[in-house]
Amino acid sequence: METSALEEPATVRPAPGNELPTQDQLEVEGDVAADYIEELLDIADLDGDIDITVRAGRAYVSVTASGDANVRVLSKPDTVAALQELTRIAVQTKTGNFSRLILDVGGSRDARAAELAVLVERAVGRIEEGATSAALPPMSSYERKLVHDIVAERGFVSESEGEGADRHTVIRRA
């Protein structure tokens, strides 16, 4: 079956009943991603060590560097998000399977998690002062999941609302 250049490629999704990839598939995904990131670092003449872990049905690829290595130029949230999407596309191209891998560069994920915790604290503060709900800005599904976890730990409830790039989290009392 031929497709025109204007048609979107079909997204490869797991077969029903097999939503989560196997440990072996995730390890292959991590290896492909690490190879892609390593090539990118070489092209950009950046130093960094790559670590691959598999947990909770996802491959996690971390790029770290010691001292004043220049990998920090890639650790801005928007840059990490773009690199993660490019890496996911590279994995999908190589394996034929949709990838949900998470990329971390220079501790950017921990830094973003701390920023999200501050956002949640401010929102919870508004609710404790009498607001019925508090909406956070749009963010990725991964970030929304982190927010939902933080909110639940605080004893509040949250849900995602909106579509596409406008999807955001709304927090309410339990």
Side-chain angles (χ1 to χ4, degrees), residues 122-174:
R122 289 181 186 151
V124 164
R126 291 192 305 268
I127 293 169
E128 289 174 338
E129 291 172 358
T132 57
S133 66
L136 300 182
M139 57 188 70
S140 73
S141 61
Y142 178 76
E143 290 175 337
R144 288 193 313 274
K145 193 230 181 285
L146 293 177
V147 166
H148 292 308
D149 292 346
I150 296 167
V151 168
E153 287 173 8
R154 289 293 317 267
F156 289 77
V157 296
S158 58
E159 61 185 347
S160 294
E161 295 182 358
E163 298 294 325
D166 293 327
R167 195 138 173 91
H168 62 280
T169 305
V170 178
I171 304 169
R172 295 182 176 79
R173 286 196 184 276

Side-chain angles (χ1 to χ4, degrees), residues 109-132:
R109 292 288 174 188
D110 288 340
R112 182 61 177 152
E115 291 172 6
L116 293 174
V118 169
L119 283 175
V120 168
E121 288 302 316
R122 289 181 186 151
V124 164
R126 291 192 305 268
I127 293 169
E128 289 174 338
E129 291 172 358
T132 57

Side-chain angles (χ1 to χ4, degrees), residues 37-96:
I37 294 295
E38 186 173 356
E39 287 182 41
L40 179 91
L41 292 174
D42 287 344
I43 290 168
D45 195 28
L46 298 172
D47 298 322
D49 297 318
I50 300 173
D51 184 41
I52 306 165
T53 58
V54 173
R55 64 183 186 274
R58 290 185 188 229
Y60 288 76
V61 178
S62 300
V63 180
T64 58
S66 58
D68 23 318
N70 51 4
V71 76
R72 279 182 281 155
V73 300
L74 299 177
S75 66
K76 293 184 176 138
D78 289 341
T79 305
V80 174
L83 288 172
Q84 178 175 279
E85 285 308 307
L86 289 171
T87 305
R88 286 177 172 178
I89 291 168
V91 168
Q92 184 170 344
T93 300
K94 183 94 172 187
T95 66

